């Protein structure tokens, strides 16, 4: 159809050519007025659908595609992107780990606002936080001191005892028959689809925590990614991992030819950090006794919320999150955000994975956040929670005594783990060399361990005689890896474990009660 200006010009020319008498001129004026009314009615029809036009269009004339920034992708764009899928995993339980489920719930809200369908988002979380007796706002979870409720509407796909590594692997592979319990929702993706995976919890060298043991080991996870790629059921995948030593999950293991890009909160040998914690700035509301989020996690989510994801690239978000998580490159209370896998598509826009929120259409690429002025090592966040809980209880209450006992037992078990593994190293490699052998970090590009079955076997031997590693003890996975890398036999490891822990009473921490980590 001709443009609006040309149409109106031709209309006026036609009128001049045919209008001769005053009566005819009056009739022409009425016709023009009627035409304007019709055009205004067309604009009003758009307004009734929730969108006002700033210009008048001729009937049937379409809005230019470049002006439709606030709308979702058109059909051609959707065909090119395929379906967007997401898997969100909170790998912990307990109110002291509030922040991990808060991270996951927040991520869910971002993806839903971005247009991902609930049926295409799979959520793993223990779901014992929102309605915990310790939660000052029952049924509410927040991920920022002034944040809204991010728990509302989050699906209960896999909760409680259903949050396991085996269920996670089955979901990723789209294998409904291998899933135990839960919603049976899986990633039933096709070759043209895009997948986003986000995990938040504790970790250790080569391992990620799960609320139900065993833990998630790097070699098993990489095998699942290989299998997913071999099935030709996705175009590209992006993975974000929040955990201590999370870089060790991919260092020397993650191929560059699987069309998978990965970023981690930390490198292979450092902790990640909790934030928005009591006593810090900004601090959570006074009634909260636990950290609300994790530094890397809130960095990427608050970045996504304040950008137009049709303009921001994967690379730009990586750089922004890297700077914020590093404590502005000081690393005084931060970590080294890392990247692995296929880095060739970092210039792609984030909306391909996280969707596009129309409310952000006119946002400029500028961060709007107050950087936390403090953070806490992930492994110490549970002690901060216990201590805050102790402080809030009445001085003579029985519960206060019980919390103090829990603090004491937790610290005692930590010291036991540290000293036992140190002694085992000295027994195996000599008192002078033992500590350095156990703590040795392999060169960049090499995996944590050559024989992952050996690593898992050594963990089970240790736990059988010395008690459960717990989420704190995951930090010692490098020691077990180096025992394997130096060719120590299972028999020698068993003897050293018995000598180190023979007289230890680990009833509460027994793997028969806690389960085995491997």
């Amino acid at each position: 159809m001709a443009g609006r200006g040309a149409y109106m010009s031709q209309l006026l020319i036609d009128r001049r050519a045919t209008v001769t008498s005053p009566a005819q001129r009056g009739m022409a004026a009425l016709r023009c007025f009627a035409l304007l009314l019709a055009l205004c009615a067309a604009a009003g029809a758009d307004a009734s659908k929730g969108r006002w036009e700033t210009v008048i269009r001729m009937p049937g004339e379409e809005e230019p595609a470049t002006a439709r920034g606030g709308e979702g992708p058109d059909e051609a764009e959707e065909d090119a992107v395929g379906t967007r899928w997401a898997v969100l995993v909170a790998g912990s339980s307990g109110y002291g780990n509030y922040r991990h489920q808060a991270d996951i719930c927040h991520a869910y809200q971002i993806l839903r606002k971005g247009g991902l369908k609930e049926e295409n988002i799979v959520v793993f979380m223990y779901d014992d936080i929102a309605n915990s007796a310790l939660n000052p706002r029952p049924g509410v979870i927040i991920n920022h001191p002034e944040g809204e409720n991010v728990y509302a509407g989050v699906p209960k796909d896999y909760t409680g005892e259903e949050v396991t590594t085996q269920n996670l692997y089955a979901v990723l592979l789209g294998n409904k028959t291998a899933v135990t319990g839960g919603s049976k929702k899986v990633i039933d993706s096709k070759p043209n689809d895009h997948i986003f995976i986000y995990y938040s919890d504790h970790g250790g060298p080569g391992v990620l925590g799960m609320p139900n043991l065993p833990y998630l080991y790097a070699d098993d996870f990489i095998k699942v990614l290989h299998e997913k790629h071999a099935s030709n059921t996705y175009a590209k995948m992006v993975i974000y991992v929040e955990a201590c030593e999370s870089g060790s999950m991919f260092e020397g293991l993650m191929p560059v030819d699987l069309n998978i890009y990965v970023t981690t909160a930390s490198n292979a040998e450092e902790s990640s950090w909790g934030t928005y914690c009591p006593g810090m700035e900004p601090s959570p509301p006074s009634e909260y006794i636990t950290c609300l989020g994790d530094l890397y996690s809130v960095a990427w989510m608050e970045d996504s919320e304040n950008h137009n994801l049709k303009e921001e690239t994967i690379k730009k978000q990586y750089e922004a999150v890297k700077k914020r998580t590093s404590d502005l490159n000081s690393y005084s209370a931060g970590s080294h955000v890392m990247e692995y896998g296929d880095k060739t598509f970092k210039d792609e826009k984030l909306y391909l994975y996280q969707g596009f929120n129309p409310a952000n259409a006119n946002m400029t690429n500028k961060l709007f956040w107050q950087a936390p002025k403090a953070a806490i090592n992930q492994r110490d966040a549970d002690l901060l929670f216990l201590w805050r809980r102790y402080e809030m209880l009445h001085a003579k209450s029985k519960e206060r005594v019980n919390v103090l006992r829990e603090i004491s037992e937790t610290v005692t078990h930590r010291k036991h783990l540290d000293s036992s593994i140190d002694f085992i190293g000295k027994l195996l490699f000599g008192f002078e060399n033992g500590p350095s052998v156990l703590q040795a970090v392999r060169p960049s590009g090499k995996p944590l361990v050559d024989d992952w079955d050996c690593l898992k076997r050594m963990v089970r031997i240790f736990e059988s005689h010395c008690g459960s590693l717990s989420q704190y003890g995951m930090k010692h996975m490098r020691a077990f890896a180096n025992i394997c890398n130096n060719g120590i036999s299972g028999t020698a490891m068993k003897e050293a474990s018995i000598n180190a822990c023979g007289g230890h009473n680990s009833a509460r921490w027994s793997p028969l009660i806690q389960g085995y980590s491997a």
Side-chain angles (χ1 to χ4, degrees), residues 412-429:
T412 298
H413 186 62
R414 287 184 171 205
K415 291 180 177 178
H416 159 69
L417 292 173
D418 293 343
S419 61
S420 297
I421 290 174
D422 179 69
F423 190 45
I424 287 172
K426 291 174 179 177
L427 291 174
L428 293 174
F429 304 109

Side-chain angles (χ1 to χ4, degrees), residues 308-338:
N308 179 342
L309 299 190
K310 282 194 173 183
E311 296 180 1
E312 188 174 28
T313 63
I314 295 171
K315 179 181 179 180
K316 283 184 179 179
Q317 181 159 95
Y318 167 73
E319 295 294 343
V321 172
K322 182 178 181 180
K323 183 176 181 180
R324 182 176 176 184
T325 306
S326 70
D327 194 12
L328 302 180
N329 298 320
S330 72
Y331 299 100
S332 58
S335 55
H336 297 76
V337 174
M338 304 296 289

Side-chain angles (χ1 to χ4, degrees), residues 51 72 107 193 206 211 280 306 412 507:
R51 179 168 58 89
D193 294 350
M280 298 180 181
N306 289 289
T412 298

Side-chain angles (χ1 to χ4, degrees), residues 170-182:
V171 165
L172 290 175
L173 295 173
N175 188 353
K176 287 186 178 183
T177 61
V179 169
T180 302

